[in-house]
Amino acid sequence: MVSGEKNSRRIWVIKDKEKNMQKVAFICPPSQESFIIPIANRMKDVNEVKEVYQANSTMIIDAIQWADIVWLEWASQFSIELTNHPLALENKVVIMRLHSFEALNGMISKINWNKIHHLIFVSDNVRNISIEQICAVNKMNNFFTYIIPNGVDMNKFPFVEKEKGKNIAYIGYISHKKGPMLMLQAFESLICEDPSYRLHIAGMHTDMRFKVYMDHIINEMGIQDFVTFYGHVDNMSEWLKDKHYVACSSPWESQNMSVMEAMATGICPLVHNFPGSKEIYPEKYIWTTVNEFRDLVLTLPWEQQEYRNIIQQRYEFEAQFQKILFIFNEIGENFYGSMIDIV
């Protein structure tokens, strides 16, 4: 999905004509690089790449000065500072990828959007809420926008054939962002009907109030024998081998990669009805109320291959990378050390 108007600005794009390669700098805040590393690694097959995933201004500026194309991962404080710097991104093609939380935390209004040439969103719901904010502060939308979901490496999450069972996985940092209170209510509704189900929670608490609350309410509900906490899990594909469902109770997601990765292994998704969820997952796997969660678990047919096929057909990594590569090819096509218009 592409939109935008012609931009009158002109910039340099310099490619190595013999190697037909562009110089690409990936800039990302520290500890937030997990999504961009696979893309940067794959990009090394076709272009020259530098990566800066730390708050080191010298390294960032050096990488930008070296590059033809600058990729800003997240609409973050890094992006705010670089786009508002009078010279930092001068004569560079700038690509930004905006994930999810940036659309809700006020960052968008602080970015100088005149410095952005290509803006990638990972889902429609994030794009819609973001564009409204961008238009409020930037009357001229002189950049293209694209919907390119995060991709799942199917090799890292191989299919595991198993019989239908009663282990439910819940994956992610435990905070208000993931709706853990709703998850417990939904699970309690299920085991009131069938107490043979179990909830397995992989993830660290990031807000002490939720740890205190969950310890308390699990005991008050009397479900302490049905819930197991694992903390951080290093090998997720191994941990998922004996799980049958993966649940999401988040109020807001761009995709929820943990659900998609679990689906790739043949695990049934149970996705709360967050905004945009029905455009990402088939509606039959979406629940709104705790009773709907219970009914989904008890009535959905066991169709392992379908769960994997959904991810293979919609979100496989290489297919998403080819969409990204299309942007790079459009930027650099037939231009070697010349001035080009960004449209």
Side-chain angles (χ1 to χ4, degrees):
M1 183 174 182
V2 182
S3 65
E5 301 175 7
K6 185 173 181 180
N7 189 323
S8 60
R9 290 169 294 156
R10 309 188 79 199
I11 63 175
W12 282 96
V13 171
I14 304 174
K15 295 174 66 179
D16 184 324
K17 192 169 184 177
E18 297 300 319
K19 296 181 180 179
N20 199 36
M21 297 179 79
Q22 298 159 315
K23 295 178 180 178
V24 185
F26 290 95
I27 311 297
C28 178
S31 303
Q32 296 183 33
E33 66 269 20
S34 60
F35 290 113
I36 194 59
I37 286 176
I39 293 172
N41 286 340
R42 180 66 177 84
M43 189 64 69
K44 292 171 186 175
D45 294 337
V46 292
N47 285 316
E48 296 182 64
V49 169
K50 284 189 177 182
E51 303 161 80
V52 182
Y53 305 142
Q54 54 185 290
N56 184 312
S57 58
T58 299
M59 292 180 66
I60 292 171
I61 294 302
D62 286 349
I64 291 174
Q65 289 178 344
W66 166 86
D68 306 316
I69 299 171
V70 177
W71 178 300
L72 301 178
E73 182 76 350
W74 308 93
S76 65
Q77 186 63 37
F78 274 27
S79 297
I80 292 171
E81 293 175 6
L82 288 170
T83 58
N84 283 284
H85 191 286
L87 298 176
L89 298 171
E90 193 73 13
N91 295 329
K92 305 296 178 181
V93 180
V94 182
I95 300 171
M96 178 183 288
R97 187 162 68 152
L98 195 157
H99 288 255
S100 176
F101 77 91
E102 309 103 293
L104 304 176
N105 67 0
M107 293 288 194
I108 285 176
S109 64
K110 300 176 183 178
I111 288 172
N112 180 358
W113 293 101
N114 290 318
K115 296 290 184 73
I116 306 301
H117 305 108
H118 301 269
L119 179 57
I120 299 173
F121 298 98
V122 298
S123 65
D124 262 318
N125 61 313
V126 175
R127 179 191 184 278
N128 293 340
I129 194 171
S130 300
I131 287 294
E132 182 178 345
Q133 297 174 68
I134 293 171
C135 289
V137 298
N138 193 77
K139 302 303 180 185
M140 293 291 291
N141 285 335
N142 294 321
F143 50 78
F144 284 122
T145 68
Y146 310 81
I147 306 297
I148 305 179
N150 286 303
V152 176
D153 186 338
M154 306 300 284
N155 293 322
K156 289 185 177 180
F157 295 92
F159 182 79
V160 178
E161 188 171 359
K162 67 190 80 168
E163 297 296 321
K164 183 176 182 179
K166 298 186 175 183
N167 288 326
I168 301 172
Y170 178 77
I171 306 165
Y173 290 117
I174 304 171
S175 72
H176 65 284
K177 294 180 180 180
K178 298 298 181 181
M181 298 162 73
L182 178 59
M183 183 69 253
L184 292 179
Q185 294 291 333
F187 179 69
E188 193 271 346
S189 175
L190 171 64
I191 61 172
C192 282
E193 185 73 22
D194 186 342
S196 60
Y197 283 89
R198 297 294 182 268
L199 179 61
H200 303 268
I201 300 177
M204 301 294 292
H205 285 277
T206 60
D207 186 333
M208 184 55 66
R209 78 186 64 198
F210 280 94
K211 183 182 188 313
V212 172
Y213 173 78
M214 292 178 75
D215 290 344
H216 164 76
I217 206 65
I218 285 172
N219 283 306
E220 289 294 306
M221 287 179 169
I223 61 174
Q224 60 269 28
D225 294 334
F226 304 87
V227 181
T228 304
F229 289 88
Y230 294 80
H232 175 73
V233 173
D234 288 320
N235 189 336
M236 185 55 65
S237 61
E238 183 68 26
W239 185 80
L240 288 168
K241 282 185 176 180
D242 65 347
K243 310 304 185 295
H244 307 94
Y245 300 88
V246 57
C248 166
S249 56
S250 300
W252 169 264
E253 292 279 357
S254 59
Q255 291 178 246
N256 197 322
M257 292 301 292
S258 60
V259 170
M260 292 184 174
E261 290 164 353
M263 290 175 67
T265 72
I267 290 176
C268 179
L270 305 165
V271 180
H272 181 53
N273 189 6
F274 62 80
S277 58
K278 294 178 182 178
E279 285 73 57
I280 301 169
Y281 298 94
E283 190 168 352
K284 67 180 180 178
Y285 300 120
I286 294 174
W287 55 277
T288 301
T289 69
V290 297
N291 288 340
E292 287 180 6
F293 175 89
R294 176 199 63 207
D295 293 343
L296 272 185
V297 176
L298 296 176
T299 62
L300 275 173
W302 185 241
E303 299 174 307
Q304 276 197 280
Q305 194 59 57
E306 177 178 310
Y307 315 143
R308 183 172 175 86
N309 287 345
I310 291 168
I311 305 305
Q312 182 75 56
Q313 293 165 11
R314 299 186 185 185
Y315 303 108
E316 188 269 332
F317 173 80
E318 184 61 26
Q320 307 315 313
F321 179 78
Q322 290 302 317
K323 297 175 187 176
I324 292 170
L325 199 59
F326 171 82
I327 301 173
F328 281 79
N329 290 339
E330 287 292 297
I331 292 170
E333 186 66 29
N334 299 321
F335 293 98
Y336 298 94
S338 59
M339 296 290 282
I340 67 170
D341 291 313
I342 298 299
V343 297

